Amino acid sequence: MAFSIRMNEEEKALAESYAKLHAMSLGEAFKRALFERIEEEYDINLANEAYQEYKNTGCKSRPIEELWKELDL
């Protein structure tokens, strides 16, 4: 599948500079950036869901010092 992206000259120069800096084609740079963004948003969503589940269970966090004391550390 091919895509076409419209950029002004400044955006194009920045994208080309980034691709060159990382020794990859412009297409690979956009592909990598897209999938990194998707992965980041997926991870954030997963973390938010886990945190919400944690809050819904009524669990409470506590200072790490308490755990160390329990473990005699």
Side-chain angles (χ1 to χ4, degrees):
M1 180 183 297
F3 285 93
S4 174
I5 300 173
R6 290 192 178 115
M7 294 183 278
N8 63 36
E9 289 302 318
E10 186 178 328
E11 292 166 334
K12 181 181 177 189
L14 180 61
E16 288 174 339
S17 175
Y18 177 85
K20 184 177 180 181
L21 178 67
H22 294 282
M24 64 179 75
S25 69
L26 195 52
E28 182 63 27
F30 277 107
K31 184 177 174 181
R32 191 177 290 185
L34 172 64
F35 285 103
E36 284 178 9
R37 178 64 185 254
I38 289 170
E39 184 178 349
E40 287 171 7
E41 287 191 28
Y42 176 79
D43 290 345
I44 289 168
N45 235 355
L46 200 58
N48 287 337
E49 288 175 9
Y51 179 63
Q52 191 61 47
E53 183 179 328
Y54 167 79
K55 288 184 356 182
N56 291 343
T57 64
C59 292
K60 300 286 183 200
S61 63
R62 55 191 183 142
I64 191 68
E65 289 82 8
E66 287 182 22
L67 175 63
W68 292 339
K69 188 181 265 188
E70 281 179 28
L71 299 174
D72 291 324
L73 296 176

